[in-house]
Amino acid sequence: AAGVIQSPRHLIKEKRETATLKCYPIPRHDTVYWYQQGPGQDPQFLISFYEKMQSDKGSIPDRFSAQQFSDYHSELNMSSLELGDSALYFCASSLSPAGIYGYTFGSGTRLTVV
Amino acid sequence: DQQVKQNSPSLSVQEGRISILNCDYTNSMFDYFLWYKKYPAEGPTFLISISSIKDKNEDGRFTVFLNKSAKHLSLHIVPSQPGDSAVYFCAASVGSSNTGKLIFGQGTTLQVKP
């Protein structure tokens, strides 16, 4: 079965650079979520999209932006990178509302800022 | 403010015995509770869930118990197997929200010894 695809799997950037993370949800899923997981921490909700419109926003820095495109893939853009942005970034998708079924996560992108 | 809490960072059990992972929450609006399992370098994988109208849900070796009055849920794994060794996240969502975003606990690392 198709899963949530994230690219790249690993990314190394220098401080103040820009990074773009991509997410391809499961076909026919209408909601995409982005989460950030720092070392030893729980996944923190960043932002979500429902039918290509932003539906909810969490603790996402102003330096970050995201969008969902007509083919439902989503991109998380991160500018002016800081050392503290080093983390695992997960994308997940679901049929709205996720409810009892939760959602399906991708394998994540590990971002390292040096 | 940690709305979902897993107070035990780690748990070690012998193969064949029962593993009990605990989770507490503070938000009485949560409608759904889910458990995710995570291996290193992979995204969280949905394991089992329970609606707030139930107090127990069972799926094979996995059973989740919900005590709404105590705002507490637990995951029982019987019998535990070495392949169950992973990080387990408890998560919760408000079903009536427009996105059903999940709020995660800090995770419990389970080690099942052969």
Side-chain angles (χ1 to χ4, degrees):
Chain A
V4 177
I5 307 297
Q6 289 188 248
S7 66
R9 287 297 306 273
H10 302 274
L11 189 59
I12 300 175
K13 290 285 186 178
E14 295 187 354
K15 284 193 302 183
R16 293 180 288 278
E17 283 194 319
T18 298
T20 297
L21 280 55
K22 297 186 178 182
C23 170
Y24 296 85
I26 290 174
R28 292 186 296 280
H29 277 191
D30 53 19
T31 307
V32 168
Y33 310 81
W34 285 97
Y35 279 79
Q36 176 192 57
Q37 185 181 19
Q41 297 181 4
D42 51 299
Q44 293 288 321
F45 172 73
L46 292 178
I47 196 168
S48 63
F49 293 87
Y50 169 68
E51 285 291 345
K52 293 161 279 186
M53 298 288 288
Q54 180 182 310
S55 54
D56 201 352
K57 199 171 181 180
S59 49
I60 182 170
D62 292 340
R63 300 177 289 106
F64 294 7
S65 65
Q67 57 182 323
Q68 188 177 28
F69 295 86
S70 58
D71 64 352
Y72 289 88
H73 94 274
S74 178
E75 295 184 3
L76 177 65
N77 298 292
M78 310 156 70
S79 62
S80 303
L81 288 169
E82 302 173 356
L83 295 178
D85 296 329
S86 296
L88 267 171
Y89 291 83
F90 290 108
C91 172
S93 72
S94 75
L95 277 172
S96 184
I100 201 69
Y101 303 107
Y103 29 84
T104 303
F105 282 86
S107 297
T109 294
R110 180 173 294 281
L111 172 67
T112 303
V113 181
V114 298
Chain B
D1 176 33
Q2 190 77 28
Q3 297 185 64
V4 179
K5 301 178 185 179
Q6 293 175 256
N7 293 317
S8 298
S10 62
L11 175 67
S12 181
V13 300
Q14 207 65 37
E15 181 179 6
R17 306 295 291 268
I18 184 171
S19 295
I20 300 177
L21 295 94
N22 294 302
C23 178
D24 298 294
Y25 62 96
T26 58
N27 189 344
S28 58
M29 299 295 291
F30 286 141
D31 292 329
Y32 302 106
F33 302 90
L34 304 93
W35 285 93
Y36 278 80
K37 178 179 177 180
K38 185 180 182 302
Y39 292 115
E42 294 183 14
T45 302
F46 172 75
L47 193 57
I48 191 170
S49 61
I50 189 168
S51 164
S52 61
I53 62 173
K54 295 189 173 183
D55 55 17
K56 177 183 176 182
N57 187 29
E58 190 173 356
D59 183 4
R61 297 186 296 116
F62 304 93
T63 303
V64 56
F65 296 92
L66 175 62
N67 183 334
K68 284 188 67 176
S69 61
K71 292 190 174 68
H72 176 84
L73 66 153
S74 60
L75 174 67
H76 292 212
I77 306 174
V78 182
S80 301
Q81 300 173 354
D84 296 329
S85 298
V87 178
Y88 289 78
F89 287 99
C90 171
S93 71
V94 176
S96 58
S97 77
N98 57 344
T99 62
K101 72 182 179 190
L102 293 177
I103 307 298
F104 285 86
Q106 304 95 315
T108 297
T109 300
L110 172 66
Q111 182 185 28
V112 180
K113 298 179 179 177

